[in-house]
Structures are given as C-alpha cells and as structure tokens.
Amino acid sequence: MKTRLMQIYNMLLSCYGKQGWWPVEYAKNEHEACFEIALGAILTQNTAWRNVEKALENLARAQKLSMHAIATSSERELARLIRPAGYYNQKAKRVKGLARFFLTLCKEKDKKLHVPSRSSLLALHGIGKETADSILLYAFAQPYFVIDAYTRRLFSRLFSLQLKSYDKWQDFFMENLPCDIELYKEYHALIVEHCKNTCRKEPKCDECVLQQECNFAREAQSKGRISP
DNA sequence: GGCCAGGTGTAAA
DNA sequence: TTTACACATGGC
C-alpha cells in the first residue's frame, strides 16, 4: 500500500509537474501571505479557483485584502467584493471571522505569527476539517494531509475504498505516507490537478495517466477482492 | 440550459 | 450517525 501510494504520487508528479501550491499573489509580508492562503481556503469552498481569483483581485483593488482591512470592513462591503466566489453572504461572515482570528495570532510581542491549533480553527464558523487542514498545511506548514472530494473520488476508484469519514480518509494517507510537509502539499495539489483534467464524475480513464492503475483496480474488483 | 467547482452548517430521519 | 438541503457565481 505504501509503495503504491508513492508510485501514484510519482506518476502524477511526472505527468503534471510540481504544482507549487499555495499560490500567493498579493501579500506583501509573511503574515499577510499566511492570511491570503487562509482567505483563499475559505473562498474556494465548493468554488472553482478562477472565481476565487476574481474575488481576491476585487479585494486587492479595493485595498481590502489585509487581515486588518477585512476585520474592520462591513460584511456588506466584503460580500460585494467577493461576489464572484459565490455564497458571498456566508463567506463574508467567514472571512471576517478569519481576519479577526488572525489578528489574535499576531498580538504576541515577538511579532511571530502563532500557529493556531486545529481545534481553534475548527471552532471558527465556516471552517470545517478540510479548510482547517488546508490552512494548517499550506499557511503554517503543519503535517495534515488534506482530504477533498477529488481525493475520495480518485482513491475510491483506485483502491476500491469506501471510507466513510474525513478522519478515516486522512488516517489512510497519513499512515501510509512518510510524514513530509512538502509531499503532503504536492500530493494534494496533484490530485486536484489530475481530477480537474481527467478524473471527474464521468472519468475519462482511457486518456488518464493512471489508466493502468484504474484498470488494475477494476480487475481486482471484478475478481471480488480488494486491491492491495 | 445543465452540470460542476480545491465545503460547511443545520435539521430531520 | 447518516442524509438532505441551502448557500450562489461563473465557465464549459
């Protein structure tokens, strides 16, 4: 299992190349870069990244991209700016809560941005496990493997896995991969990139870099055994 | 015009 | 504990 997970990673890497997530476009310092990542993590909830880019651009143009600016803006104004990212009323509340939370992380005298605990992120309204783990991994370089719909879809097919909960999926990856921040970042990004291309709900497996893996999984399933 | 996108919170079964 | 649904824009 461990070997196959790494094999799949290497196939994706050689096909798509290093993804270098998370993209930071506007931040002028390290703290704001962390915040911009977390902001993007909320804005991209069930939303295509290109729409998030429009929202971020609106915020930047209006000088409303910093944690302080967002924390002190009205929800109405924020909603107007982030409109292209969808669910703008909900997300306006969420990003404002996030900004206020981030301000508490930099209040320490040493000027360092404190690494939040997972539970403190989950306590924020509108931050669930996937968003919390994205923020921890990409903004704070903490070792949490991010599970999203693409990950479940792809690995359900590849391994005939029917894991129910987010935690079980996360355990599956974290128990079978070396604890390596860069690997976690890149693997998740590659899964997303791959699924955007060929592993959608209607998979195009015949033009897929993992075609052999898919066939292997299908064969194993038809023989009534779980693929290793 | 329908489907889908780097989910989450709430309420009901 | 699982399932259904609201939330919403924009690209293909």
Side-chain angles (χ1 to χ4, degrees):
Chain A
M1 180 67 81
K2 298 187 181 188
T3 314
R4 278 193 72 205
L5 269 187
M6 283 309 293
Q7 282 174 343
I8 290 168
Y9 171 75
N10 286 317
M11 286 165 143
L12 293 172
L13 182 61
S14 58
C15 178
Y16 300 105
K18 194 158 191 271
Q19 300 298 302
W21 275 20
W22 192 288
V24 175
E25 281 283 320
Y26 303 100
K28 293 187 175 66
N29 62 52
E30 221 168 298
H31 291 16
E32 292 295 344
C34 290
F35 179 66
E36 189 179 322
I37 291 169
L39 186 60
I42 286 181
L43 293 177
T44 198
Q45 289 170 348
N46 206 38
T47 299
W49 183 255
R50 56 178 173 267
N51 293 336
V52 176
E53 288 177 326
K54 295 178 204 296
L56 290 174
E57 192 185 333
N58 287 347
L59 288 168
R61 224 199 293 272
Q63 304 283 313
K64 296 280 188 187
L65 217 150
S66 70
M67 47 186 114
H68 183 263
I70 288 179
T72 55
S73 292
S74 69
E75 281 173 24
R76 189 188 178 84
E77 170 72 350
L78 292 172
R80 184 180 67 80
L81 293 167
I82 66 173
R83 186 184 170 87
Y87 308 123
Y88 46 84
N89 290 317
Q90 287 187 342
K91 288 178 179 175
K93 284 191 177 65
R94 294 176 186 184
V95 297
K96 189 162 175 176
L98 179 82
R100 295 162 78 109
F101 177 70
F102 261 67
L103 287 175
T104 70
L105 298 177
C106 16
K107 277 196 172 162
E108 307 297 323
K109 291 173 187 168
D110 56 10
K111 291 185 177 177
K112 274 185 71 178
L113 192 61
H114 266 237
V115 177
S117 66
R118 189 170 191 260
S119 58
S120 68
L121 284 168
L122 290 173
L124 298 177
H125 191 83
I127 295 192
K129 289 175 179 174
E130 182 182 336
T131 306
D133 289 339
S134 296
I135 293 171
L136 287 166
L137 179 64
Y138 290 103
F140 293 98
Q142 300 299 299
Y144 292 90
F145 198 92
V146 177
I147 305 299
D148 65 352
Y150 286 144
T151 308
R152 297 170 198 246
R153 194 184 305 161
L154 177 61
F155 287 86
S156 297
R157 284 182 194 144
L158 289 177
F159 292 85
S160 306
L161 279 176
Q162 294 297 332
L163 303 179
K164 293 288 180 197
S165 68
Y166 183 97
D167 296 335
K168 289 215 165 70
W169 276 103
Q170 189 174 51
D171 290 346
F172 168 72
F173 283 94
M174 293 180 67
E175 285 167 7
N176 289 297
L177 287 173
C179 184
D180 178 336
I181 309 283
E182 290 308 310
L183 174 68
Y184 285 8
K185 287 184 181 179
E186 207 43 46
Y187 209 152
H188 173 67
L190 285 164
I191 289 167
V192 173
E193 182 58 24
H194 173 69
C195 291
K196 282 203 289 198
N197 285 300
T198 60
C199 194
R200 293 169 172 273
K201 286 187 177 171
E202 290 300 324
K204 298 183 260 181
C205 289
D206 50 335
E207 28 184 289
C208 167
V209 63
L210 297 176
Q211 184 189 2
Q212 288 189 333
E213 291 290 315
C214 288
N215 290 338
F216 181 80
R218 266 198 295 271
E219 212 174 291
Q221 202 167 21
S222 69
K223 287 178 182 169
R225 57 185 168 80
I226 303 299
S227 61

